[in-house]
Amino acid sequence: MNRTVLISGASIAGPSTAFWLNRLGYATTVVERAPALREGGQAVDFRGEQVSVLRRMGLLEEIRARQTSMGEQHILDASGKRVASLPASMISGEVEIQRGDLSRVLYEATKDRTEYVFGDWITSLTETASGVEVTFAHGAPRTVDLVIGADGLHSGVRALAFGPESRFRTEMGYACAGFSAPNHLRLDHTGLIYNVLGRGVTYAAQDPDGPANIGFVFAADGLTYDRKDEDQVKRLIAEVYDGVGWEVPRLLEGLRDAADLYFDELAHVYLPRYTSGRVALVGDAGWGVGPGGGGTGLAMMAAYVLAGELAAAGGDHAVAFERYESEVRPAAEAGAKQAKGTGPFLAPRTARGLWLRNQSHRMLTTRVFSGVFDKMTLKAANTLKLKDYGI
């Protein structure tokens, strides 16, 4: 019986996995490279079956108490004039919460039964007949029964157990950035979407006296930068948006002082398997699809499935991992398909593309097409139907 599980990553997928394994009596440890929980981040939403996993965890009401309660999102043209407004349900799903708030909820729900180790990371994995020998950058070596990689798009566990990221990653030709900045427009539970060719800006806020969440998405082919050099990344973004009008100059001022910058290129990670021996991947580590693919909800559902299949298999990881693969893969591939056009949709490169995008926004606000859109997004969210594992 496998009883000790080491999980890499303390954002969403990792604590979600620990939550369910704790219910089965496993001894769980979460190791996180960052020195503490990562605060801030953009909002994440849940629909359909994704909401049911929150309910099964007993966390739905707590998440609703912290939800963004965002209203309409207004689409602006190049002059800043409103051209369309999208209803909250289209953008925010059934329930929406800031990523940092969700991470905190999951941490609080697991910290009494899970050991959290911050400021460290896995440096090697050696599988034996009875377990996995693990070394760390700072901590003493350990031997555990199972290792779960829940450490995101640039997963260290994936690199150690499956091979270098370059083997599995496909660039989508766009980059995105998110950060908090002063809410100088004093938006109140609403958001704005602004575009010039190849560059998009989202500006949203819950409180006129609180910070705004800023998002940049832009066409990016052949970027050269050090992802870990934040000053260099900020300069890169400022250069891309140099000369853009509307409120962008003030937002770039906020970027200079931002302490919670997230930046990455939009990419799709595809692996032929999510498990190898005693190692399994959950969330973006296994099937990173980028914005628009329902990745957060699927990661939390996958954590439930992984634990459930271990319970159903009596702890036999070989049997459980095989079943986990077959359950999760169709939903991961549906999410990848849904997210494929996110970059071109958020930051069209041509005038015609931008016009068509704005026209589609207008159509989506009509009664007929809003229903079609809702059905499409709900269908993707419901691709994975959760079994009752009795946990």
Side-chain angles (χ1 to χ4, degrees):
M1 176 75 70
N2 301 301
R3 283 301 175 194
T4 57
V5 182
L6 175 66
I7 302 167
S8 178
S11 179
I12 307 299
S16 295
T17 305
F19 178 94
W20 292 110
L21 292 178
N22 288 344
R23 284 200 175 181
L24 297 177
Y26 287 81
T28 55
T29 297
V30 173
V31 60
E32 167 59 48
R33 188 168 191 139
L37 285 180
R38 299 176 187 270
E39 304 294 340
Q42 301 297 303
V44 295
D45 62 86
F46 299 86
R47 307 165 191 266
E49 281 286 281
Q50 298 169 350
V51 178
S52 74
V53 78
L54 305 180
R55 186 176 293 110
R56 289 170 187 261
M57 298 175 84
L59 299 177
L60 180 57
E61 293 311 311
E62 184 172 357
I63 289 171
R64 279 180 171 156
R66 297 170 179 248
Q67 67 182 334
T68 62
S69 299
M70 290 294 287
E72 290 184 324
Q73 303 274 311
H74 304 299
I75 315 301
L76 310 178
D77 64 15
S79 67
K81 180 182 177 182
R82 186 186 305 181
V83 296
S85 296
L86 303 178
S89 61
M90 190 174 293
I91 301 297
S92 303
E94 295 176 49
V95 61
E96 182 183 66
I97 184 173
Q98 297 293 342
R99 177 174 288 276
D101 290 343
L102 178 59
S103 178
R104 175 63 62 179
V105 168
L106 293 170
Y107 171 76
E108 293 294 334
T110 54
K111 64 182 177 63
D112 292 338
R113 298 178 64 184
T114 296
E115 176 192 14
Y116 278 85
V117 179
F118 290 97
D120 206 352
W121 60 95
I122 299 169
T123 55
S124 73
L125 299 170
T126 303
E127 187 165 337
T128 67
S130 59
V132 185
E133 297 174 355
V134 186
T135 62
F136 302 87
H138 304 297
R142 301 188 186 196
T143 298
V144 298
D145 294 309
L146 302 174
V147 175
I148 308 299
D151 43 354
L153 194 67
H154 305 291
S155 171
V157 169
R158 183 181 65 226
L160 291 170
F162 295 82
E165 182 176 315
S166 59
R167 287 175 52 186
F168 312 110
R169 178 183 173 101
T170 300
E171 302 294 341
M172 300 171 71
Y174 283 81
C176 65
F179 58 96
S180 300
N183 182 11
H184 61 268
L185 293 181
R186 295 186 59 77
L187 296 188
D188 185 359
H189 291 89
T190 190
L192 303 173
I193 301 173
Y194 174 83
N195 282 93
V196 295
L197 298 186
R199 288 163 287 183
V201 180
T202 59
Y203 179 137
Q206 296 172 243
D207 183 346
D209 297 315
N213 291 319
I214 309 302
F216 288 157
V217 178
F218 55 92
D221 297 310
L223 289 180
T224 301
Y225 63 96
D226 180 354
R227 188 168 56 87
K228 297 179 181 179
D229 186 337
E230 188 168 287
D231 289 336
Q232 183 184 130
V233 170
K234 287 181 177 181
R235 288 194 299 271
L236 183 154
I237 296 169
E239 290 172 4
V240 170
Y241 282 84
D242 183 40
V244 178
W246 187 56
E247 302 294 332
V248 171
R250 295 184 71 174
L251 299 182
L252 291 177
E253 291 177 10
L255 170 64
R256 283 198 292 269
D257 298 325
D260 60 350
L261 175 66
Y262 168 83
F263 176 81
D264 210 338
E265 292 182 67
L266 299 189
H268 176 208
V269 168
Y270 176 84
L271 279 81
R273 292 191 60 82
Y274 305 143
T275 63
S276 175
R278 292 176 176 268
V279 178
L281 303 177
V282 178
D284 284 350
W287 55 83
V289 299
T296 300
L298 178 56
M300 295 182 70
M301 294 169 76
Y304 170 79
V305 172
L306 180 63
E309 293 297 349
L310 281 168
D316 185 331
H317 70 276
V319 173
F321 284 1
E322 191 73 29
R323 293 173 178 170
Y324 165 73
E325 288 260 359
S326 63
E327 287 290 314
V328 171
R329 183 169 294 277
E333 293 183 350
K337 183 178 179 180
Q338 182 173 292
K340 190 174 182 180
T342 297
F345 191 75
L346 293 178
R349 296 172 183 253
T350 66
R352 176 171 173 76
L354 182 55
W355 180 84
L356 288 172
R357 196 286 306 273
N358 287 345
Q359 289 297 109
S360 69
H361 276 315
R362 291 191 183 97
M363 291 176 62
L364 288 174
T365 59
T366 64
R367 182 178 300 178
V368 174
F369 284 97
S370 63
V372 172
F373 180 84
D374 289 343
K375 288 180 180 179
M376 288 172 57
T377 55
L378 193 58
K379 180 180 179 181
N382 289 342
T383 302
L384 174 54
K385 296 289 187 181
L386 297 181
K387 298 178 182 178
D388 185 0
Y389 294 104
I391 51 176

